[in-house]
Amino acid sequence: MRTVTGRTDHVVVVGAGLAGLTAALHLAGAGRRVTVVERAGLPGGRAGLHEVAGYRIDTGPTVLTMPELVDEALHAVGESVADRLDLIPLHPAYRAQFADGSALDVHTDAAAMEEEVRRFAGPAEAAGYRRLRRWLTEVYRAEMHRFIDANFDSPLDLLSPELARLAALGGFGRLGPAIGRFLADERLRRVFSFQALYAGLDPRRALALYAVISYMDTVNGVWFPRGGMHAVPTALADAAAGAGVTFHYNAEVAELERRGDRITAVRTSDGTRIEADAFVLTPDLPVVHGLLGHHPRRRLRWSPSAVVLHAGTTRGWSNAHHTISFGAAWHGTFTEIIRDGRLMTDPSLLITRPTATDPSLAPDGRELHYVLAPCPNLRTGPIDWDRIGPAYRDELLGELERRGFTGFGAAIEEQQLITPADWAAQGHAAGTPFSAAHTFAQTGPFRPRNLVRGLANAVLAGSGTTPGVGVPPVLLSGKLAARRITG
């Protein structure tokens, strides 16, 4: 494995998001002196926090899987999840609702899920679920340590017994048909394939190896931290500070000073200059390229984006923490948002009610909801969001009313609408918080690498580099960046 060259005694990490915090913990645990520079006033990055009128709103991811990766980062400095977080397992992990009025609770316990599938679709589908669960577990075992939790220096690094195993499992076929080998019920196929959208892919066309995301959700489990998702970066930052990591908040990096093939210092917008031996850069790729003065050689394909409505309401509806509301349309939906750059005419929505698990996130007698609607990014669909944003919010509210959330709009007392224009204003390429899509040409050794061409002491971390998009990959990216420094 290639590593940065020269001294690495002092490392500056740019960005206190999940990737930067994980990198800082692994570096501190390896004996490095670490300084973290963050433009915001608190840690979290995309996993941010907005407080208004007694509501604690998570502004980033709402689904936590693979908490063992958080534990691993904390263990680097002698701590653990048990020391820092109260993680609540979600039962069910999701509730899936369909346009025909049927509903399915998605359990991660094998016996409970088998019984639920039997109730929902009959004994043949329950048997198919058992086989699918075994296959998902085998795909995960073939991928995790060789292809996900791994640095790549060359595509030749793929060559291994695990690659042959993954091929034998059908990992290089298409996800939709792979799931269809086990399940005939089209509704169940959706439940085990929609996760490909997290990676910016049409579930029909994604490689079957992305079933690993379904494993993380439906087999390994889904959790929620008491205090909200922002409790995770808070815990990581507190543990890092306790291990001697220095944090500079409200300090946006404006310049990277260079001498030859080495960065020598960062300079913040207020003129503060911090010298170091090595640097971990975690902002979105276009921001990093701007700081480096690079013009990337390749044109990346960006993931779809999302409209998110945060709503503080006077009542609740479903008692599930996460509800996936599927429209009647499915295949055409992805054509609309990924290929045609149009809004979904029959949307599938993720509705999260964090107060179902932690009522303290809202004032007494109030509920907090998060409604996510996938949509085109700004490159695929140049939509004037400043103009149509309020109208689209009203459309979503009408859709929720039709799907059983009667009185949702009238119950809102606090709200915040986030559109691709807002993501772009935060520095996210193409107005998407999901970074570069996981096409084959943008996966593994073909994804933008975490070593920076032409620089001997800079490493990237975050969703734009190895291994990719989502909370678990971003946590891993921080560890992999630290490995590039520590060896």
Side-chain angles (χ1 to χ4, degrees):
M1 182 184 70
R2 291 175 55 203
T3 60
V4 302
T5 60
R7 293 180 55 182
T8 61
D9 298 342
H10 180 206
V11 183
V12 163
V13 177
V14 178
L18 295 176
L21 293 169
T22 306
L25 285 163
H26 284 284
L27 289 164
R32 294 339 189 248
R33 182 163 67 93
V34 182
T35 302
V36 178
V37 184
E38 167 57 46
R39 68 178 179 178
L42 73 173
R46 284 182 174 94
L49 175 68
H50 177 63
E51 297 187 77
V52 57
Y55 292 97
R56 290 176 55 85
I57 299 170
D58 288 312
T59 61
T62 61
V63 179
L64 178 62
T65 60
M66 306 292 287
E68 55 267 35
L69 298 177
V70 180
D71 203 42
E72 181 182 29
L74 292 169
H75 268 292
V77 295
E79 297 202 36
S80 70
V81 161
D83 299 326
R84 292 284 179 177
L85 289 164
D86 180 7
L87 295 184
I88 305 166
L90 298 185
H91 303 298
Y94 299 97
R95 176 164 296 153
Q97 296 181 344
F98 301 92
D100 64 2
S102 60
L104 171 81
D105 282 346
V106 180
H107 299 282
T108 52
D109 176 77
M113 188 59 185
E114 183 180 339
E115 184 56 36
E116 178 69 355
V117 172
R118 181 177 289 107
R119 176 201 66 80
F120 181 78
E125 294 297 270
Y129 163 73
R130 286 199 304 271
R131 296 194 303 273
L132 172 62
R133 186 182 178 98
R134 287 195 294 270
W135 180 77
L136 291 172
T137 302
E138 290 183 59
V139 168
Y140 169 79
R141 288 173 177 166
E143 285 187 55
M144 183 60 183
H145 297 296
R146 192 65 189 81
F147 303 112
I148 300 175
D149 187 6
N151 278 312
F152 292 98
D153 294 325
S154 161
L156 295 176
D157 293 341
L158 287 172
L159 301 177
S160 67
E162 291 87 353
L163 180 67
R165 178 62 181 151
L166 190 56
L169 289 167
F172 296 100
R174 297 297 177 187
L175 179 61
I179 300 297
R181 294 202 310 267
F182 304 98
L183 300 170
D185 190 296
E186 195 266 346
R187 297 167 300 172
L188 289 173
R189 292 183 185 186
R190 294 187 189 189
V191 168
F192 290 96
S193 64
F194 82 89
Q195 296 88 350
L197 194 61
Y198 296 162
L201 300 169
D202 181 339
R204 296 169 303 167
R205 304 182 184 280
L207 292 176
L209 56 86
Y210 287 110
V212 70
I213 310 175
S214 181
Y215 168 88
M216 293 176 183
D217 278 14
T218 66
V219 177
N220 196 63
V222 178
W223 282 260
F224 188 72
R226 193 174 302 280
M229 287 291 287
H230 191 258
V232 174
T234 299
L236 295 175
D238 288 348
V245 174
T246 300
F247 285 85
H248 293 272
Y249 291 111
N250 297 306
E252 184 168 7
V253 172
E255 181 185 357
L256 301 175
E257 295 184 9
R258 293 175 58 171
R259 183 180 303 122
D261 66 351
R262 304 187 73 82
I263 300 173
T264 56
V266 298
R267 191 179 295 275
T268 66
S269 53
D270 66 0
T272 301
R273 183 175 181 274
I274 305 171
E275 295 184 359
D277 304 309
F279 298 80
V280 178
L281 310 176
T282 73
D284 219 24
L285 289 175
V287 176
V288 170
H289 290 312
L291 289 171
L292 294 172
H294 281 185
H295 296 286
R297 298 182 177 185
R298 57 189 293 200
R299 183 180 179 87
L300 294 174
R301 175 177 155 188
W302 302 100
S303 297
S305 187
V307 172
V308 176
L309 174 63
H310 299 287
T313 63
T314 56
R315 56 167 292 200
W317 286 265
S318 168
N319 61 1
H321 189 107
H322 295 295
T323 300
I324 308 165
S325 176
F326 291 104
W330 182 242
H331 301 312
T333 291
F334 303 105
T335 300
E336 287 174 333
I337 64 174
I338 294 175
R339 190 190 70 184
D340 298 342
R342 295 187 290 118
L343 294 173
M344 296 180 291
T345 52
D346 185 14
S348 291
L349 307 172
L350 171 64
I351 303 115
T352 295
R353 179 190 169 200
T355 42
T357 303
D358 186 355
S360 71
L361 298 174
D364 288 345
R366 298 296 189 266
E367 300 288 347
L368 185 58
H369 292 83
Y370 165 110
V371 182
L372 182 147
C375 71
N377 65 46
L378 295 179
R379 300 276 177 85
T380 307
I383 296 168
D384 184 353
W385 284 103
D386 291 335
R387 181 177 62 83
I388 76 154
Y392 190 59
R393 176 202 58 211
D394 293 343
E395 275 190 39
L396 292 176
L397 292 176
E399 198 63 49
L400 289 170
E401 296 271 352
R402 288 187 287 274
R403 298 186 186 189
F405 291 79
T406 307
F408 191 96
I412 295 175
E413 63 178 15
E414 296 288 341
Q415 62 180 298
Q416 181 184 28
L417 184 72
I418 308 297
T419 73
D422 298 303
W423 300 123
Q426 295 175 31
H428 300 317
T432 174
F434 306 117
S435 194
H438 280 264
T439 61
F440 180 78
Q442 294 179 177
T443 295
F446 308 111
R447 198 164 181 81
R449 296 185 192 170
N450 57 4
L451 286 178
V452 181
R453 186 188 301 272
L455 286 173
N457 66 337
V459 189
L460 304 185
S463 58
T465 186
T466 305
V469 179
V471 172
V474 165
L475 291 168
L476 286 171
S477 79
K479 181 178 77 168
L480 295 174
R483 280 185 188 168
R484 290 290 196 184
I485 293 170
T486 61

